[in-house]
Amino acid sequence: DVKVTQSSRYLVKRTGEKVFLECVQDMDHENMFWYRQDPGLGLRLIYFSYDVKMKEKGDIPEGYSVSREKKERFSLILESASTNQTSMYLCASRPSGNNEQFFGPGTRLTVL
Amino acid sequence: AQRVTQPEKLLSVFKGAPVELKCNYSYSGSPELFWYVQYSRQRLQLLLRHISRESIKGFTADLNKGETSFHLKKPFAQEEDSAMYYCALGNQAGTALIFGKGTTLSVSS
């Protein structure tokens, strides 16, 4: 069974703080993704990575960066958190050659 | 441009009634379509993918390339079907899935 885990279920931060969201998968998947999920807007892709140290911008990368130093771990970084980044953040992974993505439980981030 | 449209934000039905959640897509190549479901307080999980052509939890979905649709259907809704449903499009390049905005299905007795 594919397992994607995220470091926190709930997180509360203050405006201007640097925030790290961690995601780990245990199935040796090459591809990993970060989405944010907002009511009425669905899932929007922030960044994805198809290999270690490789990253590609998604649809809404502004205000975010990512890091993939190891195959199993994909981190999302908010350099200076703002209130409009309050959201549910979903991490996903998938193997190469297969479009099916496997999701983590999500991190609900609130920026005050 | 690649796009997925789910026209209904909310669909409310009574238990035992038929359900159809609509999904239309825009993609010039050969698409791969998925339905994902998110039950309350659970992670997003795959419900169906068009290439497997199977029925899961009584749901079916047929890819109609002429109408560019992939509607999700169930003949008799159950209360446990209440959830958020997302239609998603995969492309031949194998990049990220493109998701629709989701439809909340509410089944009441």
Side-chain angles (χ1 to χ4, degrees):
Chain A
D1 222 19
V2 176
K3 237 343 191 259
V4 181
T5 57
Q6 294 183 228
S7 52
S8 306
R9 199 78 171 92
Y10 299 94
L11 210 51
V12 179
K13 295 292 181 181
R14 298 215 173 270
T15 303
E17 279 193 83
K18 190 169 185 175
V19 182
F20 292 87
L21 302 183
E22 306 284 342
C23 175
V24 177
Q25 50 95 3
D26 67 358
M27 286 302 289
D28 204 36
H29 287 173
E30 291 81 8
N31 304 276
M32 297 187 74
F33 308 84
W34 275 107
Y35 294 88
R36 60 178 284 177
Q37 181 184 30
D38 299 288
L41 297 178
L43 274 70
R44 293 179 292 167
L45 181 67
I46 304 172
Y47 268 96
F48 68 99
S49 169
Y50 54 87
D51 201 351
V52 174
K53 297 193 187 295
M54 306 304 287
K55 60 185 179 184
E56 293 280 347
K57 291 181 180 179
D59 300 316
I60 52 164
E62 297 78 18
Y64 303 95
S65 62
V66 290
S67 172
R68 188 140 181 232
E69 295 297 316
K70 293 186 177 181
K71 191 174 185 181
E72 67 270 19
R73 188 180 297 270
F74 192 34
S75 303
L76 180 69
I77 304 152
L78 287 66
E79 293 289 339
S80 177
S82 62
T83 54
N84 63 11
Q85 292 179 309
T86 291
S87 185
M88 173 70 88
Y89 289 87
L90 301 182
C91 176
S93 73
R94 70 166 180 82
S96 292
N98 186 339
N99 270 325
E100 180 185 350
Q101 292 183 0
F102 298 85
F103 284 84
T107 295
R108 184 166 292 284
L109 173 67
T110 302
V111 183
L112 302 174
Chain B
Q2 299 169 38
R3 189 168 60 244
V4 175
T5 303
Q6 293 179 252
E8 303 132 333
K9 270 189 175 179
L10 172 66
L11 188 61
S12 296
V13 301
F14 287 109
K15 179 181 169 182
V19 169
E20 182 179 51
L21 288 82
K22 291 184 166 44
C23 172
N24 288 90
Y25 67 91
S26 173
Y27 180 57
S28 56
S30 185
E32 187 172 5
L33 274 297
F34 300 80
W35 277 100
Y36 277 81
V37 60
Q38 189 171 32
Y39 301 102
S40 179
R41 297 188 180 143
Q42 293 186 29
R43 68 181 68 198
L44 200 59
Q45 58 187 285
L46 179 69
L47 180 63
L48 286 177
R49 61 194 302 180
H50 90 269
I51 59 173
S52 59
R53 302 183 66 83
E54 55 188 348
S55 173
I56 305 291
K57 300 185 179 185
F59 285 97
T60 58
D62 291 316
L63 179 61
N64 185 323
K65 290 187 178 181
E67 295 183 359
T68 59
S69 69
F70 188 57
H71 303 327
L72 184 68
K73 300 177 184 180
K74 185 169 183 176
F76 308 103
Q78 302 298 315
E79 288 181 78
E80 55 266 30
D81 297 328
S82 296
M84 174 70 88
Y85 291 81
Y86 290 98
C87 183
L89 168 68
N91 59 30
Q92 290 164 298
T95 53
L97 293 179
I98 296 164
F99 286 83
K101 293 184 177 180
T103 298
T104 299
L105 175 64
S106 175
V107 182
S108 55
S109 56

